[in-house]
Every structure is written in C-alpha cells, then in structure tokens.
Amino acid sequence: MDAHGAATGAAAVSGTEVAPDAAELDARDELTHCRADFVLDGPEGTVYLDGNSLGALPRSVPERLADVVEREWGRLLIRSWSESGWWTAPERTGDRIAPLVGAAPGQIVVGDSTSVNVFKAVVGAVRLVREEHGVAEGGGRDEILVDAATFPTDGYIARSAARMTGATVRAVPVSAMAEAAGPSTAVALVNHVDYRTGELHDLAAVTDAVHRAGGRVVWDVCHSAGALPVQLDADGADFAVGCTYKYLNGGPGSPAFLYVRREAQPRFDSPLPGWTSHADPFAMADGYAPGDGAVRGRVGTPDILSMLALEEALTVWDGVSVEAVRAKSLALTDFFLRRVRTYVPDGRAGRLRLTPLTPQEHERRGSQISLLCEDGSAAGGDDPAEAVMAGLHARGVVGDFRRPGVLRFGFTPLYTSFADVDRAARTLGDVLRNTGREAGS
Ligand SMILES: *Cc1c(COP(=O)(O)O)cnc(C)c1O
C-alpha cells in the first residue's frame, strides 16, 4: 500500500496540471491508439519507463497463451507439433520480426537466449572468415574485436569463443572499430545501441569498414530491435542477435533471435549443431547434415510457450511502421530532456548533479535517456542514482539504474505518452531535491 499511496499522491499533484504541450503532443500522436493494446495496470499514476529491460504485456497474449496451454498442449498433445504449427514456429516468428529489422524473410530464427545466439554467431563468423581466407586455426584471422562498452554477456561469450577457436579478444571503442579492423580481424562484435548510455552506433559504416578489412560483423541489436529502424539487409550485416523481451514485448525470458545473412547461410557452421537444425531431423541419423536456411541456427526443441507468447505479442506491430515509432521515440526523448531542464534547472538539485549521457544528436540516440547522477560533495560513498531510482519507484515512476551513477529511462513509443514523460521528469525533479538534501549527510 505504501508505494501505491505514494504513487497516487504523485498522480494527484501532477495529474491535475499536465503541461499543455504534453497534452498537445499526445493529441497529435499517431500511435496513441497502440497504448490500448497493452496491459498497463500498475497502481494509479504509474509511469513505466523500463520497456528497454522488460516490455509491457500485450493485451491479447494471456488468452492466446491459455489456448496454447489448454487446447494445444492439454488436448492435442503431440499432434500440436504439426497441427498447431509448433515445429515451424522458430522460422515463422523470425519472419514476423524480419520487417522490424530490415531483413527479407528466411534469414531469422527464434530460439535460445541472446547469450547463446552470440556464441553461435561469433564462432560461426570466425569459422566463416577463416574459410573465406583459406586459413586454419593458428594461420591468421585470429582476432575478435569486441565493443569496449559492450553488455557484459557478449564480452564473456566472446572470450570463451576466442579460447575455443584459438583467437584473442581485443576491446575497442566502437568509434575506433573501423581503424582497428585489419588483416588479423576475424570478427567484430558490436552493440548497435549502448545499453548504458543509449548511444546509437552507425551499423552501415562499421560493417563496411570491417568488410573492407576482410572480417565479418556480429551485431547485437537488443536495444534497437523494435525501437528504431534497423536495416540488416541493406547495411550489409553478416550476423545479428537480439532480445525479444525488451522493445518487442515478448515476455520475461522470451527467446532471442539470430539473423544470418542469406549469402552466409550455406557456409554457416554452427558450433551448436543440435538435432533440430539437421536437414532431416526425424531420420535420427548418426551423422550431422545441416538444414538449409535459417533452420541452421536452431539447436534443440523450441521453447514453445515463450515463443508463442512472443508470436502473439508481435501482432501489436500490425499496421505500425518502425519509422513512425522512431519519430515518436525521438520526440519523446527530446521532450524528456527539455522537461528535465525545466524541472532540474542547471542539472543541479542540492548536492546532486545530473548530466545527460545519451547523445543530443538524433542520429546517435537510441530510445532511452541515461542521466549520470553524481553527488557533488566529496563525501560520496553510496551511489546516489540508486537512492534516486528508489525514490522514483516509490512515487510510481519506473526506470532503472546501472552502476556507477546511471539513471536509465526507456521510451517505448507504442505505449509511452508525452504525459508520462512530463510526469516522470517532474517527479525526478522532486525526488532529486529530496535526495539532494540528504545526500552526503
Ligand atoms: C539485454 C541484453 C542482453 C541479454 O542477453 P540474455 O542472454 O537475454 O540475458 C544481451 N546483450 C545486450 C546488448 C542486451 O542489452
């Protein structure tokens, strides 16, 4: 009741006087109707700005999932693998994601976690590049370049993949990736949007530079799929992996996706050649013969409940263009930055200082705003961002924080309104002033 009471209080304060331009922006928003497709039933006045961590629940998913469980599993049982289309769900769901990331059909398979798919893609890319250059392990093309600011799992997996392939890993800032790529480069593993800062990188330019050096690129599009236009085919991406539980709203732990460019598919040698990727899985043959196309990225039995929840969640995209989503995302993040300047003049509140980490330029901005929150007093110690985010949660504004000092606010254009943004910025100002008074004491 505590958080609920506080949230209702916050709503009462700001709800009565929503700034006119938030109302105006909401009135002009061509995506407002999409909000009704989601369950956003938190306590009154809750503003959810954490869709970059776990997307909201699409309204049609519970009924679909109940049908999958009760009828397809409960009654049809084994028949559902064929009659309910379970067996082909990984490619079918991949084809639903394809238009959102600029991929023609037949190149995306859904299954496993992002971490597992990073492993398949990195090892597969090293093998592919060595084959193309006619070098064996130890004969060259033995360096894996990894985005120095990468989400940790990618770095851990890349180092293990390197040990397994006799390669080494070099951490390189994305801004220096083009220059770093050279004759020993096998693969570059790059995050399209930096999860901490929200910086968007130039997929086409980095891909082009690594290609000119004779390497291949694995893109992690976890924070761009469903948030902004991604042009995997047009920009020449070789491999890409992405989450479906963030901006694609597939639900907690919903399976990730793997894109392997059509041209590379016949030579994609997966390090996890499970039986469901076999050319004839039910032959139960001793020897492995890979299937053709996206199927090759499969490993074992697909996670049907999560996958079919995701498939249903993707219906919210029917009739919605990623370009419209991008336009609204930029408007939301611009508006948030503007409101934060209003409610936190000069980025200061007591001892606390707030500095935007996300680039101001639209071409370099993902769909989140990260604010560095520092305690100006030397006393320091505890991370003030943690206390500030706790204060925001208590008042019904849900974002998250990443140590050290980063407040993250994710904007999901399908369900975030400008009124939400205004309320979040206003509450942030209040919480900062309260926390700033106590900080360092
Ligand atoms: C969220 C995220 C992941 C998550 O990987 P899982 O295997 O799903 O836990 C990986 N990479 C990036 C860049 C992410 O943002």
Side-chain angles (χ1 to χ4, degrees), residues 409-426:
F409 300 93
F411 299 85
T412 306
L414 296 180
Y415 55 78
T416 305
S417 69
F418 291 90
D420 284 343
V421 170
D422 185 63
R423 184 173 300 169
R426 183 190 300 248

Side-chain angles (χ1 to χ4, degrees), residues 264-335:
Q265 283 175 340
R267 287 169 298 143
F268 172 47
D269 180 4
S270 171
L272 293 171
W275 75 285
T276 68
S277 69
H278 195 282
D280 188 6
F282 293 96
M284 304 287 167
D286 275 348
Y288 180 72
D292 288 332
V295 165
R296 210 175 269 213
R298 283 183 172 211
V299 184
T301 305
D303 24 21
I304 291 299
L305 298 185
S306 287
M307 186 148 350
L308 298 190
L310 165 65
E311 185 180 29
E312 180 62 33
L314 290 167
T315 62
V316 301
W317 290 92
D318 291 348
V320 173
S321 79
V322 200
E323 285 67 28
V325 163
R326 176 59 168 168
K328 182 173 172 192
S329 161
L330 291 172
L332 288 167
T333 49
D334 275 342
F335 187 57

Side-chain angles (χ1 to χ4, degrees), residues 60-69 71-73 80-81 84-90 92-93 96 110 244 249-251 254-255 302-315:
S60 66
V61 167
E63 196 184 315
R64 171 68 183 131
L65 208 43
D67 183 54
V68 172
V69 171
R71 188 179 54 86
E72 297 187 3
W73 177 15
S80 274
W81 282 108
S84 305
W86 288 0
W87 187 261
T88 48
R92 188 174 68 240
T93 313
R96 275 208 93 118
V110 173
T244 62
N249 313 300
S254 59
D303 24 21
I304 291 299
L305 298 185
S306 287
M307 186 148 350
L308 298 190
L310 165 65
E311 185 180 29
E312 180 62 33
L314 290 167
T315 62

Side-chain angles (χ1 to χ4, degrees), residues 113-115 151 153-154 191 195 220 222-223 243 245-246:
S113 64
T114 298
S115 302
F151 186 88
T153 205
D154 304 56
N191 292 187
Y195 77 100
D220 182 329
C222 280
H223 284 271
C243 272
Y245 52 79
K246 293 171 181 166

Side-chain angles (χ1 to χ4, degrees), residues 18-37:
V18 169
D21 59 349
E24 235 174 79
L25 289 164
D26 277 325
R28 274 189 273 149
D29 172 18
E30 59 171 298
L31 296 177
T32 29
H33 66 280
C34 297
R35 187 175 171 105
D37 292 342

